[in-house]
Amino acid sequence: MITDDFYDAVLVRDMFEGGLLLRTLKVVYHRYMTHAGAFSCFFTTYFELGLIAKNEALLAIFIEIDILLVIIGLFAFINYLCNYIGSRDFTLKICLFSGIIIPWFSYYSYKQIFFWFSACNQYCLGLGILLFTLAAFFRLTYKNNLISIILTSILALICGGIYIIYIPVMVLVVVLLNITELVRQKRINNSLFIVSLFLAISTLINVIAPGYRLRKEDEVQISIHDAFKLSFEGIFHNEIPNILKNPGFIIFCIVAIYCGIRFKSKLKINGLRLLLSCFLTIIMMVLSCFPVYLGYAYDSFDKIQNRCIFTIDFVSYTSILLLAFSLGIYIRQWSGIVATRKLNASVLLILTFLTVTHYTDIFTTNARYDLIDQTNHNNINYYRGRVYEIMDMIKNSPESDVVVPFPPETPPAILSFEIANDPTVWINEAMAAYYHKNSVTAQ
């Protein structure tokens, strides 16, 4: 547990009376009125922290579950998206899924997601809920029985309460899906429209939360215009160049283009639709940045927190990879090219060349390699052991005013355990309250 984890655990344990479920609901309402409207994420965060306070071993389990939900949710999203466009080929689904998850999880480090419970729960779990909900929306377009409508409506009500960073992208995807169904069927898809209304109601409850307004009064603000401007600049000057520095993703984009040529679907893409896809790809990426700039009032992309980059990168990887797949479909329909042995050999040669020439970047200069390397050299295990010793010292000390040593230097691959030499710093105060101490000081 680090930083906000201690504060939030104390909040759900001590602020209200009653059982854990009742206390959690009261804290969610309190946060809704004073902080933000993400009621779904708040509920899971505070309920799980209440359980963690009784058994801290659950913390790692909950983080692993959150990450697993994102992985499964992504595959569900890709699966039903492919079904929606008329391709049930499992190989295609695996290629697209791998083309997102492998470059996203392996190249850059998202320390605040993988080593901080509160951030993981609010951003990672929120994304998992969103992916399952969008998957259910796509499924509803061809399986709209009563049970599907009810389950999708429940997901929609939950999804509207995820962290606001996901709301603009979610709204755009759902609106585009409804418009596409209207064009395809020449009428409104009633089932899809009903669950979209549930999502709209839930989202509205989220965004009108008084907590957003109260927080803005106490923080530096920027205008909507400036937030959009900074989002466009951040996408073109920072995000896209950073994404294209990932050689593994470039390889998967080539695979996605090949898949568009190789695998047949009922999707028809002409030049105008391809241009529209390019435009929507940029808009998706901009909308992933917009709430970050607006909410935190950042004036540059470099200041964006690691946990927010996690979301922005996901949208970028997904949008660009699907655009590459669309490009492959367009090439096949425009040129009539098919997947012959000659084409297969050419693609394999290109992929082999890129892998060999960028071997270091792909296999040894990335977050996955750094984590494994520092674990093998015992740096991470030693650091974790020392942090656990410090936490045990605070927990088991007979003194009310506890003094502990600073933890050793943090390995670069993980997030640091923060503690200050000033007992009045809020992190120390939260830690002291969590362990029922008067004060905690590091020296």
Side-chain angles (χ1 to χ4, degrees):
M1 295 176 66
I2 58 174
T3 59
D4 289 27
D5 296 342
F6 291 107
Y7 175 82
D8 290 335
V10 171
L11 201 64
V12 73
R13 186 189 68 194
D14 299 341
M15 190 170 188
F16 299 102
E17 296 181 351
L20 176 58
L21 179 60
L22 180 60
R23 282 184 280 123
T24 300
L25 292 173
K26 289 180 178 179
V27 171
V28 170
Y29 177 75
H30 169 75
R31 298 292 272 179
Y32 181 85
M33 299 301 295
T34 62
H35 185 74
F39 53 86
S40 297
C41 290
F42 283 157
F43 179 84
T44 56
T45 297
Y46 289 113
F47 188 81
E48 290 176 6
L49 280 171
L51 297 175
I52 290 169
K54 299 178 181 178
N55 183 1
E56 293 184 355
L58 291 173
L59 186 143
I61 295 174
F62 286 140
I63 290 179
E64 290 166 359
I65 290 174
D66 292 343
I67 296 170
L68 185 62
L69 284 175
V70 170
I71 295 172
I72 298 173
L74 177 59
F75 185 79
F77 170 75
I78 293 296
N79 176 61
Y80 289 113
L81 174 61
C82 289
N83 291 350
Y84 178 71
I85 65 175
S87 180
R88 295 179 178 268
D89 193 294
F90 186 73
T91 305
L92 170 62
K93 296 173 182 179
I94 288 295
C95 287
L96 295 179
F97 169 75
S98 301
I100 298 170
I101 201 72
I102 293 177
W104 180 36
F105 270 25
S106 65
Y107 197 71
Y108 295 110
S109 174
Y110 306 105
K111 302 176 187 178
Q112 292 180 337
I113 296 295
F114 298 125
F115 300 100
W116 180 8
F117 171 78
S118 295
C120 181
N121 201 272
Q122 293 173 12
Y123 287 81
C124 204
L125 177 62
L127 180 55
I129 293 171
L130 173 60
L131 289 169
F132 275 110
T133 303
L134 293 179
F137 269 64
F138 281 114
R139 185 178 185 276
L140 198 63
T141 58
Y142 59 88
K143 280 193 177 182
N144 58 352
N145 54 60
L146 182 59
I147 294 178
S148 296
I149 295 173
I150 293 174
L151 292 177
T152 307
S153 298
I154 293 173
L155 274 174
L157 289 172
I158 296 172
C159 189
I162 62 177
Y163 222 55
I164 200 168
I165 188 174
Y166 297 111
I167 297 298
V169 172
M170 176 190 73
V171 169
L172 179 58
V173 173
V174 172
V175 169
L176 288 174
L177 182 58
N178 277 273
I179 293 174
T180 302
E181 284 298 289
L182 178 62
V183 172
R184 289 175 57 182
Q185 300 185 17
K186 310 299 182 184
R187 63 179 180 82
I188 294 176
N189 185 321
N190 292 329
S191 301
L192 186 63
F193 184 72
I194 289 171
V195 298
S196 298
L197 281 180
F198 280 112
L199 181 63
I201 293 169
S202 182
T203 302
L204 183 63
I205 293 172
N206 183 342
V207 299
I208 65 172
Y212 291 124
R213 184 178 65 257
L214 291 177
R215 287 180 65 193
K216 294 295 287 183
E217 290 176 354
D218 298 330
E219 297 175 354
V220 178
Q221 300 183 32
I222 65 172
S223 66
I224 293 177
H225 172 269
D226 289 339
F228 269 117
K229 180 182 177 182
L230 289 167
S231 298
F232 273 101
E233 292 176 354
I235 288 299
F236 284 103
H237 294 165
N238 300 92
E239 178 63 7
I240 292 178
N242 289 342
I243 290 293
L244 296 181
K245 288 177 183 177
N246 185 342
F249 183 61
I250 301 299
I251 289 174
F252 275 110
C253 282
I254 295 172
V255 173
I257 294 173
Y258 171 77
C259 288
I261 298 172
R262 171 72 173 79
F263 297 101
K264 294 181 180 180
S265 74
K266 63 182 180 181
L267 187 64
K268 304 295 182 183
I269 297 181
N270 55 27
L272 181 60
R273 288 185 176 180
L274 185 63
L275 288 175
L276 179 60
S277 298
C278 293
F279 174 74
L280 289 175
T281 297
I282 297 299
I283 294 301
M284 286 282 187
M285 296 167 68
V286 168
L287 289 179
S288 69
C289 289
F290 171 72
V292 178
Y293 280 109
L294 186 64
Y296 291 100
Y298 293 130
D299 57 8
S300 71
F301 191 88
D302 294 334
K303 294 182 180 180
I304 295 179
Q305 291 287 335
N306 181 262
R307 59 186 182 272
C308 300
I309 295 295
F310 171 80
T311 300
I312 296 169
D313 281 355
F314 167 76
V315 174
S316 300
Y317 282 126
T318 304
S319 302
I320 294 174
L321 191 82
L322 294 179
L323 177 63
F325 177 65
S326 301
L327 176 60
I329 296 176
Y330 172 74
I331 291 173
R332 185 189 73 226
Q333 295 174 354
W334 171 70
S335 66
I337 190 172
V338 293
T340 61
R341 289 185 177 180
K342 185 177 181 179
L343 177 63
N344 296 344
S346 300
V347 172
L348 182 60
L349 182 63
I350 293 172
L351 296 180
T352 303
F353 174 78
L354 289 174
T355 302
V356 172
T357 55
H358 293 81
Y359 176 87
T360 301
D361 292 331
I362 295 173
F363 296 106
T364 63
T365 311
N366 52 54
R368 181 192 66 251
Y369 176 83
D370 291 342
L371 189 61
I372 294 173
D373 180 65
Q374 291 169 32
T375 300
N376 290 338
H377 286 82
N378 214 34
N379 296 355
I380 293 177
N381 292 333
Y382 172 74
Y383 180 80
R384 288 175 58 191
R386 293 292 295 142
V387 169
Y388 287 146
E389 288 178 10
I390 292 171
M391 294 174 69
D392 286 340
M393 289 173 63
I394 300 172
K395 181 179 179 180
N396 300 319
S397 174
E399 304 294 332
S400 297
D401 298 300
V402 184
V403 178
V404 296
F406 278 105
E409 183 179 355
T410 308
I414 65 174
L415 194 65
S416 63
F417 176 80
E418 297 184 18
I419 187 171
N421 59 0
D422 182 355
T424 62
V425 172
W426 74 272
I427 295 174
N428 291 45
E429 290 182 340
M431 206 177 301
Y434 180 78
Y435 288 113
H436 301 285
K437 305 296 181 181
N438 289 336
S439 67
V440 171
T441 309
Q443 66 178 20

